[in-house]
Amino acid sequence: MSLHGRVALVTGASRGIGAATARTLAAAGARVGIASRSGENPGVDGALAQPCDVRDPAALEAMVAATVARFGRLDILVVNAGVGAYGPFLDLPAADLEEMIDVNVKGALYAVRAALPELLKSEAADIVTIASEAGRRGLPYEVAYCASKFAQVGMTSALDHELRERGVRCTSICPGGVATDFAMGHGRTPQMPQLAGMMSAQDVAEAVLFVVTRPRNHRILEIAFRPVTETSWG
Ligand SMILES: NC(=O)c1ccc[n+]([C@@H]2O[C@H](COP(=O)([O-])OP(=O)(O)OC[C@H]3O[C@@H](n4cnc5c(N)ncnc54)[C@H](OP(=O)(O)O)[C@@H]3O)[C@@H](O)[C@H]2O)c1
């Protein structure tokens, strides 16, 4: 199904999963706004890319306004910007703990708050949150990250209840390990053997495309998927 005529805003789209998602939505016909601290466009023709730190509500409001000014509307919000740091909880630097809460929790809420007035004007709106397996179960050495990702899943589920009948579908995507720059130097290293078995950013982007191209008579609440090499928990 084509996304022609629909406009998407993807947070954290200069690299990794967000960049793959922006490229994939654009290839399906959407016009795309790309938000990140750097403001870099990862090679999406015709996209609007500008600096936007999701910790700053005013920057998100400016990003939404610029996207609507350029493309005329907003139909899809992909809440993707996120950071992670792994390790024994007592060893986690306070700055890392605060950044995970500020970016993953507050940044997600601020993104929705900034975009929702425009999404409510659309006849076909979607909010897709890139949460994590860490938002579905507690994982060792991921205490603060799990707290932030459970918050995202809770936010998205609550939004679904609140917005379903107003035409906004809300979905959590919960991948296991994806090979990106994520958490590099904060619990992941380029040499770690697990990276080889991880999924790709494109795998997640295709899940987003699946969600936003479903017929409007139904909604996908959650997609969870993991590499076959990843341990089964619980
Ligand atoms: N990789 C995994 O294994 C995995 C698994 C499950 C879920 N996830 C989730 O997927 C999402 C994307 O992760 P990724 O793997 O693509 O990570 P990544 O490669 O590190 O990319 C993170 C993106 O977020 C942006 N970003 C970081 N802080 C930001 C901020 N304060 N404001 C705006 N943008 C910010 C970065 O751009 P700038 O540096 O330019 O700001 C970058 O574009 C995250 O929410 C993560 O929790 C990842």
Side-chain angles (χ1 to χ4, degrees):
M1 195 185 287
S2 164
L3 292 177
H4 281 288
R6 295 179 79 192
V7 177
L9 171 57
V10 186
T11 67
S14 59
R15 293 181 274 118
I17 292 168
T21 299
R23 274 194 290 272
T24 299
L25 298 182
R31 286 162 296 170
V32 182
I34 290 173
S36 68
R37 289 168 302 177
S38 69
E40 280 172 25
N41 182 334
V44 183
D45 285 344
L48 167 74
Q50 74 176 41
C52 171
D53 189 324
V54 298
R55 294 172 290 191
D56 178 0
L60 277 160
E61 283 163 19
M63 183 79 219
V64 170
T67 303
V68 172
R70 175 75 66 90
F71 300 126
R73 53 189 294 130
L74 183 62
D75 307 283
I76 299 167
L77 172 68
V78 183
V79 178
N80 169 75
V83 293
Y86 303 139
F89 186 49
L90 288 179
D91 295 345
L92 186 71
D96 285 352
L97 187 156
E98 277 161 26
E99 192 183 11
M100 280 185 272
I101 299 305
D102 288 347
V103 177
N104 302 358
V105 181
K106 291 186 187 172
L109 290 162
Y110 294 155
V112 173
R113 200 157 59 172
L116 192 51
E118 294 299 330
L119 294 174
L120 286 168
K121 295 177 194 168
S122 166
E123 67 290 345
D126 286 282
I127 296 172
V128 184
T129 305
I130 309 302
S132 173
E133 180 64 16
R136 302 178 68 242
R137 65 191 75 231
L139 303 173
Y141 310 115
E142 301 189 23
V143 172
Y145 183 65
C146 281
S148 75
K149 290 291 167 176
F150 267 72
Q152 289 187 339
V153 172
M155 174 194 81
T156 308
S157 173
L159 286 168
D160 169 67
H161 288 293
E162 189 167 324
L163 300 176
R164 174 174 59 85
E165 289 179 329
R166 300 176 72 188
V168 185
R169 304 186 298 193
C170 301
T171 306
S172 287
I173 295 197
C174 297
V178 182
T180 64
D181 293 342
F182 183 77
M184 280 302 162
H186 296 269
R188 285 190 186 175
T189 65
Q191 296 78 28
M192 63 190 282
Q194 294 92 328
L195 273 182
M198 285 186 185
M199 301 180 293
S200 70
Q202 187 60 31
D203 293 327
V204 184
E206 284 167 19
V208 177
L209 181 64
F210 175 79
V211 164
V212 300
T213 53
R214 288 311 86 209
R216 297 301 302 183
N217 69 342
H218 65 282
R219 66 206 206 278
I220 309 287
L221 301 179
E222 183 177 300
I223 293 182
F225 55 123
R226 289 149 64 185
V228 290
T229 51
E230 207 166 88
T231 318
S232 290
W233 297 277

